[in-house]
Amino acid sequence: MKPALVTGASGFLGWHVARVLLERGYRVRALVRPGSRVDALDVECVTGDLRDAESLERAVAGCGLLFHVAADYRLWAKDPGDLYRSNVDGTRNLLQAAQDAGVERVVYTSTVGCIGIPPGGIGDEQSPVALQDMAGDYKRSKFLAERVALGFAQGGLPLVIVNPTAPVGDHDVKPTPTGQIVLDFLNGDMPAFIDTGLNVVDVRDTALGHWQACERGRDGERYILGSENLTLAQILQKLARITGGKAPTLRLPYLVAYCAGACSTAWAGVSGHPPRVPLDAVRMAKKKMWVTHAKAERELGFSPAPADEALARAVAWFSRTGLRPVQTPAA
């Protein structure tokens, strides 16, 4: 059996995708940047960079499957061009290498941010969307990268696209923005919330959905991998029930959040340090990113669990790994 190449295996979702492949008997080759590693998994690590085409040719050589999960996932960058070089140019470099190497199947990980959301409604794979609908450079770069992937599929590369929503669970090492919500709640750093909504899904279900897309997905098609549409207030209430803590009750007006994001991002431009409140994150929060995974359920057999267990696993993992401060009981 030829090995499967996974990009992003040192990160959150990619780690879980690699685990799913190992459980199914595949040899997994992981593309990692210099100095990175893949914890607790028996994988072959090869050093490379999405912006280095020659390193990608070496990484993909002899592989039968490619799962391109890696992305520069930042809602602020001192040089926004880095996002486009990694996400757009890097995707083009990798897919060209895969095509030249005769890879038999490619799963490209896009994002729910590339799904159109009708006003006040629920988005699906057919909802109209355009580049001007993308808030911020991260979303714009992923939208353009998805178009690159679709172009390769139309050119004959056997490629399927998955659009994960907001995965949550264990091994969120960075953490992701969704994991940061959990971490902020645990650390008492979320005294208020804004009226927004997202679709939350167990990262383990999302990783399994990648495999199901590889097995059953139609070339050139997109599949939303999500589960529950929840408001931020509902997510915080679930976390309160899991931890025995108290959910914040103060709802912050959008204008106040926008001003905080603008100030925080302006200072980041001066200091060079990432903003505590990225303005692009605030802009994204203005729209409830609610979608349906009905197509993936129908065509792939994707059947995600509710978000509660994944949120509980995230709480346990953050607590166990020490990414939250240890609370000293009062005497």
Side-chain angles (χ1 to χ4, degrees), residues 297-318:
E297 185 173 32
R298 184 175 63 251
E299 297 190 16
L300 307 181
F302 182 66
S303 181
D308 297 69
E309 183 179 335
L311 287 167
R313 201 181 318 115
V315 167
W317 188 81
F318 281 127

Side-chain angles (χ1 to χ4, degrees), residues 99-125:
Q99 188 172 64
D100 293 344
V103 168
E104 298 158 13
R105 187 67 158 156
V106 179
V107 178
Y108 169 69
T109 307
S110 184
T111 170
V112 71
C114 295
I115 298 295
I117 309 294
I122 306 295
D124 63 25
E125 292 85 352

Side-chain angles (χ1 to χ4, degrees), residues 231-320:
T231 64
L232 179 54
Q234 288 172 321
I235 294 169
L236 297 174
Q237 289 161 6
K238 286 179 179 291
L239 290 171
R241 288 194 292 270
I242 291 166
T243 63
K246 187 176 180 181
T249 57
L250 176 62
R251 192 175 86 175
L252 203 64
Y254 179 77
L255 183 58
V256 174
Y258 187 93
C259 291
C263 293
S264 181
T265 302
W267 174 246
V270 174
S271 69
H273 298 295
R276 181 69 179 86
V277 184
L279 183 56
D280 282 351
V282 178
R283 288 175 174 144
M284 291 178 191
K286 192 172 185 179
K287 181 188 297 184
K288 288 184 172 68
M289 294 300 296
W290 285 352
V291 294
T292 174
H293 61 272
K295 180 180 177 181
E297 185 173 32
R298 184 175 63 251
E299 297 190 16
L300 307 181
F302 182 66
S303 181
D308 297 69
E309 183 179 335
L311 287 167
R313 201 181 318 115
V315 167
W317 188 81
F318 281 127
S319 301
R320 185 172 65 252

